[in-house]
Amino acid sequence: MYMMFFGSSVLLLVAMAVLWSIYPFRRGRWLLWINVVLFVGWCLVTFIAARSIGWEFVRQIFGMLMPMVFSPFVLLFLFAKRVNWMRIVKRYAVIVSWLAVFMIVFQIPAFPTFATYVLCFGVPILFFFLLYVWEKWLAGKWKRGWIAFGSVILVVAFIFGSLLMNATALNASGDDMVMDWGGGKDSGMKSELDVTKLAGPKETAVTERFQFTAATKKMKVPDGSTKELWLFNGQMTGPAIHVKQGDVVEVTLTNENIKDGVTIHWHGYDVPNAEDGVPDISQKAVAIGESYTYRFKADTVGTFWYHSHSQSSEQVGHGLFGSLIVDPKTKPDDELDMVAFVAPKYIDNDGALISSDEWPKQLLKDTKIRLRLTNAHNKPQKIVLNGVPFKVAAIDGNEVNQPTNVEGKYVQIPAGGRVDLTFVMPNNAVRIFDAKDESGGWVFQSERKSAAPSKEIPDEAFQRESYGTKMNSGLDVSKGFDREFTMVFDSKLAFFDGMVHHLWTINGKLYPNTPMLMVSEGDLVKTTFVNRSYSHHPMHLHGHKMLVLTRNGKATTGSPWWTDTLNIAPGETYEVAFKADNPGIWMDHCHNLDHATNGMMMHLQYDNVYTPFSGHTHE
């Protein structure tokens, strides 16, 4: 609905601007009346959107632009019988209508600044004054052609200057960053704990050791072409870390030739802060020729993954990632584990499934299969399993209570998210594929070979919020929260590196000026996500698991929905809760890693923790 409102608003305002541009040269009330109809249509679209998704999603666009868009009608009515003033109003209508188009496309943020108010309310008044000056004193002295040419140059310079100004925010020092205490007690910074002291177990406790070397390597990718990839131990995907609950894991990382440095982040695994792998927060990036050792206890069962967090948009995209699987101490022997990734866009833009293992393409009937899927792509992916009913056994490493069979639905995995699908091999072929992958994914045949299942993509999506059986979540939210935060996602355009880019904002700010969420250990925290942009934002909180409370105002009704990577689609609102029980300074960012690079990240900081590093991670 939000995209309908935004797209309709842009189209209606452009149509009005075109008609206002014709109006000074073509006499006819029909042009004026068409614009009246378009304006009423815009008001109606806004009303429908506000009723459907809430005033929060439309208030800034409509509230800031409506006076500007409506003002030509008012002025035409006031000066209907004064010829000289009518000429001014017609020219004014052309200028402000295109200014409104510019503002809705480029400049209306979720949290307007003083400059935004000046653009929406001050600039139209200034233009009207300048048009009056021109009509009264300059119209007979300057040729209209030069006036028109100068006006075009002025508008282009205004737009280009705005785009350049937006780009400067990415190079900010972070001095404008504010500490958000979420309505709770401002306890001040105690600075008692250095993040480097929040480390994993000692070396003597290690039970599983791994050696990783990060280096470049040319190899074939799924489409058959050869590309230079950046890999751990020369493998695509990286070496699988498959351990049992209770193991103490040690991974020593050596950087052979990755020029910007490399780290390892344990995505979804709540390790101590010093082991989190975020450069300039919990460690320095591992430079060429250097090594770094991570240690943590594998106390949580499930499907997780690891990846570099230094220049992660580029490094994950080039292949620096792998799987982390923690089995329970006693695991069923008759279940076949399959681990796969949706490839990142540089390796395969169509979402091919890749794995470090070779799986048999023929399976015995009644074989129990657990398919562990991780999305390493930047965008949410539709996963389709045709030919057999299946269960969604776990999401982001968290088991679903009493899952039921799913048929005729696709499962959407957010960027960075994981899903475990379980099924029993039938006496016919089964196909698992990404909806964008035209190659058709993987086909598994039974003993009785049959025609491969179709590549048909179901229309209906699997709905997590109502799936499984309700049970005690283990997190008591009945007595309220110690802190409550709201994060509103939006976008704007900027010009840098020779082209126009999208920047992605949180509460109107770009990193490093995004707010710092401040908590004390033991706090019960609620966060509200509001997506006012036109893109999906899979928000990933390091070091903690979030319990989803509501989606678009409706409470979840199924098995408790625990997650570390939550996809917020355009126009959606989520409420989540978590316990602040893992001290440190933790990233909270969009896992469309291009979005994180262009501003959409922030930190969650405990009030008694500090970092000896720069404090601003370089993404």
Side-chain angles (χ1 to χ4, degrees):
M1 175 56 74
Y2 177 72
M3 292 307 297
M4 183 277 291
F5 163 71
F6 182 79
S8 299
S9 296
V10 172
L11 290 175
L12 288 168
L13 292 181
V14 168
M16 291 177 69
V18 170
L19 291 176
W20 281 128
S21 300
I22 298 172
Y23 188 57
F25 306 101
R26 293 286 301 271
R27 293 188 178 183
R29 289 183 175 272
W30 61 275
L31 287 170
L32 179 60
W33 282 110
I34 291 176
N35 258 352
V36 170
V37 171
L38 292 174
F39 178 77
V40 172
W42 183 44
C43 294
L44 183 61
V45 166
T46 302
F47 175 77
I48 294 172
R51 290 293 301 271
S52 176
I53 58 177
W55 179 243
E56 174 65 32
F57 289 95
V58 302
R59 63 183 177 87
Q60 295 298 353
I61 290 177
F62 187 74
M64 299 291 283
L65 294 184
M66 195 278 288
M68 185 191 309
V69 175
F70 187 57
S71 61
F73 297 107
V74 175
L75 293 172
L76 284 173
F77 176 78
L78 292 176
F79 300 116
K81 297 182 180 180
R82 303 180 67 174
V83 177
N84 290 343
W85 282 98
M86 282 293 286
R87 281 200 298 269
I88 296 174
V89 172
K90 289 177 181 179
R91 293 164 186 161
Y92 167 82
V94 175
I95 293 172
V96 296
S97 61
W98 285 110
L99 178 62
V101 171
F102 167 74
M103 292 300 296
I104 191 173
V105 174
F106 297 128
Q107 291 289 335
I108 297 290
F111 292 81
T113 61
F114 177 74
T116 310
Y117 285 102
V118 170
L119 285 171
C120 287
F121 300 104
V123 170
I125 295 172
L126 175 62
F127 275 133
F128 191 84
F129 173 75
L130 293 176
L131 288 169
Y132 171 77
V133 171
W134 173 26
E135 179 67 28
K136 189 167 182 65
W137 288 294
L138 302 177
K141 298 180 181 180
W142 292 355
K143 291 184 178 180
R144 291 180 183 271
W146 284 106
I147 294 291
F149 178 75
S151 299
V152 171
I153 294 298
L154 182 63
V155 171
V156 171
F158 179 73
I159 294 174
F160 190 68
S162 298
L163 297 180
L164 287 175
M165 184 175 67
N166 286 345
T168 61
L170 284 175
N171 298 318
S173 64
D175 292 339
D176 293 333
M177 181 272 294
V178 296
M179 292 182 177
D180 184 352
W181 294 89
K185 181 182 178 182
D186 181 348
S187 56
M189 286 303 299
K190 303 169 187 174
S191 298
E192 297 170 354
L193 274 176
D194 181 332
V195 294
T196 61
K197 304 301 182 185
L198 298 168
K202 296 184 181 299
E203 184 179 4
T204 53
V206 173
T207 59
E208 296 287 343
R209 284 186 168 86
F210 300 85
Q211 297 282 339
F212 285 6
T213 299
T216 60
K217 180 181 180 180
K218 288 187 177 180
M219 64 185 304
K220 282 190 176 182
V221 294
D223 68 4
S225 64
T226 299
K227 294 182 178 180
E228 181 179 273
L229 304 183
W230 306 347
L231 305 172
F232 291 116
N233 292 3
Q235 295 179 222
M236 183 182 69
T237 61
I241 298 178
H242 205 144
V243 297
K244 286 189 177 295
Q245 186 179 23
D247 280 335
V248 174
V249 179
E250 178 183 278
V251 178
T252 299
L253 168 65
T254 300
N255 182 359
E256 182 175 304
N257 60 4
I258 306 298
K259 63 179 182 179
D260 291 321
V262 66
T263 67
I264 297 179
H265 166 61
W266 313 98
H267 188 116
Y269 220 77
D270 299 344
V271 298
N273 197 205
E275 315 297 336
D276 193 42
V278 176
D280 299 310
I281 298 296
S282 59
Q283 66 173 95
K284 297 297 291 183
V286 182
I288 294 175
E290 294 181 348
S291 296
Y292 189 90
T293 298
Y294 301 90
R295 293 190 197 97
F296 60 91
K297 186 174 182 179
D299 50 8
T300 303
V301 171
T303 302
F304 307 92
W305 66 305
Y306 63 85
H307 59 80
S308 177
H309 220 296
S310 177
Q311 303 293 336
S312 55
S313 176
E314 190 173 24
Q315 293 193 4
V316 175
H318 279 70
L320 285 170
F321 62 89
S323 61
L324 168 61
I325 309 299
V326 181
D327 287 330
K329 293 179 180 179
T330 56
K331 180 189 174 185
D333 295 329
D334 59 347
E335 187 175 67
L336 176 62
D337 252 7
M338 294 184 177
V339 181
F341 286 84
V342 177
K345 63 180 181 179
Y346 176 77
I347 292 176
D348 189 276
N349 194 49
D350 292 332
L353 297 180
I354 58 175
S355 178
S356 60
D357 299 306
E358 288 289 334
W359 304 112
K361 298 305 180 187
Q362 186 169 346
L363 299 171
L364 294 176
K365 180 178 178 294
D366 295 330
T367 300
K368 295 178 181 178
I369 297 169
R370 178 177 285 253
L371 184 59
R372 302 176 185 265
L373 288 168
T374 298
N375 182 11
H377 202 282
N378 269 357
K379 295 181 179 179
Q381 302 296 308
K382 295 179 181 179
I383 300 299
V384 182
L385 180 55
N386 284 341
V388 65
F390 62 91
K391 294 178 180 178
V392 180
I395 291 181
D396 290 343
N398 304 288
E399 290 289 315
V400 175
N401 183 43
Q402 298 181 11
T404 54
N405 279 342
V406 177
E407 291 186 85
K409 297 179 182 179
Y410 66 84
V411 178
Q412 181 170 276
I413 310 180
R418 290 88 61 213
V419 63
D420 289 17
L421 306 181
T422 59
F423 63 93
V424 177
M425 187 66 191
N427 200 24
N428 56 266
V430 171
R431 183 191 298 275
I432 175 79
F433 65 102
D434 185 289
K436 294 195 305 179
D437 184 9
E438 295 181 358
S439 69
W442 296 346
V443 175
F444 299 101
Q445 288 284 356
S446 67
E447 300 160 278
R448 181 180 66 84
K449 287 194 174 182
S450 60
S454 74
K455 299 179 185 178
E456 183 179 352
I457 301 169
D459 294 327
E460 189 177 352
F462 164 77
Q463 299 296 329
R464 173 62 184 90
E465 61 267 30
S466 57
Y467 185 69
T469 302
K470 197 174 184 67
M471 62 178 288
N472 187 350
S473 68
L475 190 68
D476 183 8
V477 299
S478 61
K479 297 179 181 179
F481 301 91
D482 299 298
R483 305 191 190 277
E484 298 186 27
F485 302 103
T486 297
M487 297 163 63
V488 180
F489 309 131
D490 213 332
S491 66
K492 56 184 176 181
L493 295 183
F495 184 86
F496 58 92
D497 292 341
M499 61 187 298
V500 175
H501 297 263
H502 276 100
L503 302 182
W504 304 95
T505 63
I506 301 175
N507 293 359
K509 300 291 185 180
L510 297 167
Y511 185 83
N513 286 332
T514 45
M516 178 81 78
L517 306 185
M518 301 299 301
V519 297
S520 300
E521 188 172 1
D523 281 347
L524 185 60
V525 182
K526 184 175 86 168
T527 302
T528 301
F529 299 117
V530 180
N531 188 356
R532 247 201 50 172
S533 77
Y534 58 84
S535 184
H536 292 257
H537 297 302
M539 296 306 295
H540 172 49
L541 173 61
H542 290 208
H544 303 77
K545 287 179 174 55
M546 302 176 286
L547 177 66
V548 180
L549 304 176
T550 68
R551 179 188 181 193
N552 298 330
K554 296 181 179 179
T556 57
T557 58
S559 172
W561 183 359
W562 288 98
T563 181
D564 54 76
T565 309
L566 181 65
N567 189 73
I568 298 96
E572 284 192 331
T573 300
Y574 279 89
E575 291 178 324
V576 302
F578 66 90
K579 189 77 169 179
D581 56 4
N582 193 5
I585 302 174
W586 302 97
M587 282 199 71
D588 194 354
H589 64 99
C590 180
H591 218 275
N592 181 327
L593 296 173
D594 289 343
H595 292 183
T597 298
N598 285 352
M600 190 167 277
M601 53 184 177
M602 63 196 310
H603 291 106
L604 172 78
Q605 181 168 359
Y606 284 65
D607 58 8
N608 63 335
V609 178
Y610 71 96
T611 176
F613 307 109
S614 71
H616 293 316
T617 187
H618 297 290
E619 287 293 334

